[in-house]
Amino acid sequence: MTQAQGTPNKDDEQHIVVDIETLGTSANAVIASIGAVRITRRPWVSDLEPCLWAVHGEPFHVLLDLDQPGRVMDGATVTWWFQQEAEAQMEIVGPNVSKPYDRVNIIHGVGDLRRWIENFPNMRTTAGVWSMPDFDAALLQNVASTYRVDPCWPFWLNRDIRTAKMACPEAAGADIIGNTTITRHRSDHDALAEAQIVCAYLNLIDRLKGGV
């Protein structure tokens, strides 16, 4: 079925938001967890109803085995973690819900993220992967280089969440999103909170373009 004349061609465009939690701040820090969220435009209804950007599907979340050869922890970050609320601390001490007997090897965990992204039917139309490029994206690229595995996405898709937040500061800080009560420093929850900022930014850009 084709869209009505005058309706912008959406091409199933999508964005990904990625967040990681670590036990250090260096490029080779131990990564405790990875969270990610997919953003798409909601289905087109009519030319009178905008195709707003929104979170699509369930978030990705994996807890990683902290035994990561060649990667390091720093004492200050570990101390900081144990000053956080108990639910957040599960990112470094808890088991995976889906695999309660084990946390996932870092190579397998990063591979799971890559496959999660690649498995979307419209992966080829991904317009951007949002994170902190000089931290989240840099550490995941370091993992790819260190362990000689494929990167989770090509570098040219990197987008900076801070740019979106600067344009749409009112979208930040929600404590409840949909049915989820946000636990700060839980990677999938942080990705979900950051996705709200990216959605607000993309909707703003669409309005400025006058396209939707």
Side-chain angles (χ1 to χ4, degrees):
M1 185 171 83
T2 59
Q3 292 180 336
Q5 186 175 1
T7 301
N9 180 10
K10 304 308 177 191
D11 290 331
D12 294 325
E13 189 176 76
Q14 68 179 9
H15 292 255
I16 308 296
V17 179
V18 175
D19 184 87
I20 65 173
E21 299 299 335
T22 69
L23 290 168
T25 58
S26 62
N28 64 335
V30 168
I31 299 175
S33 74
I34 306 172
V37 171
R38 179 189 183 197
I39 297 171
T40 63
R41 282 192 177 95
R42 69 184 187 187
W44 175 82
V45 177
S46 73
D47 283 336
L48 299 178
E49 186 171 346
C51 299
L52 298 177
W53 291 93
V55 171
H56 182 104
E58 293 297 316
F60 171 91
H61 187 224
V62 64
L63 301 182
L64 302 179
D65 187 337
L66 303 184
D67 182 9
Q68 300 172 12
R71 309 194 70 78
V72 299
M73 303 182 190
D74 73 61
T77 303
V78 173
T79 299
W80 176 88
W81 268 110
F82 285 104
Q83 295 170 347
Q84 307 310 305
E85 60 182 278
E87 288 187 26
Q89 290 181 27
M90 295 300 288
E91 293 288 276
I92 63 169
V93 300
N96 278 299
V97 173
S98 60
K99 296 183 177 181
Y101 52 86
D102 200 7
R103 294 170 72 102
V104 176
N105 175 278
I106 187 170
I107 297 175
H108 294 161
V110 170
D112 287 345
L113 173 63
R114 184 176 63 252
R115 285 184 289 275
W116 182 82
I117 294 173
E118 291 175 347
N119 282 343
F120 296 140
N122 53 350
M123 175 57 196
R124 292 181 181 178
T125 58
T126 296
V129 179
W130 297 77
S131 67
M132 302 292 187
D134 53 0
F135 189 75
D136 306 72
L139 264 71
L140 289 172
Q141 179 58 52
N142 181 275
V143 169
S145 300
T146 300
Y147 299 121
R148 299 183 180 181
V149 296
D150 292 334
C152 293
W153 64 84
F155 70 88
W156 58 83
L157 290 181
N158 281 331
R159 303 290 184 271
D160 196 328
I161 288 172
R162 290 167 296 195
T163 301
K165 187 174 182 179
M166 183 173 63
C168 303
E170 72 285 350
D175 293 323
I176 300 176
I177 299 174
N179 296 321
T180 302
T181 300
I182 298 300
T183 297
R184 304 296 173 189
H185 311 303
R186 173 173 159 160
S187 58
D188 58 332
H189 286 195
D190 281 354
L192 184 59
E194 290 160 355
Q196 306 309 304
I197 300 171
V198 175
C199 286
Y201 179 73
L202 295 173
N203 289 327
L204 173 63
I205 295 299
D206 280 348
R207 290 196 299 274
L208 292 175
K209 288 180 177 178
V212 294

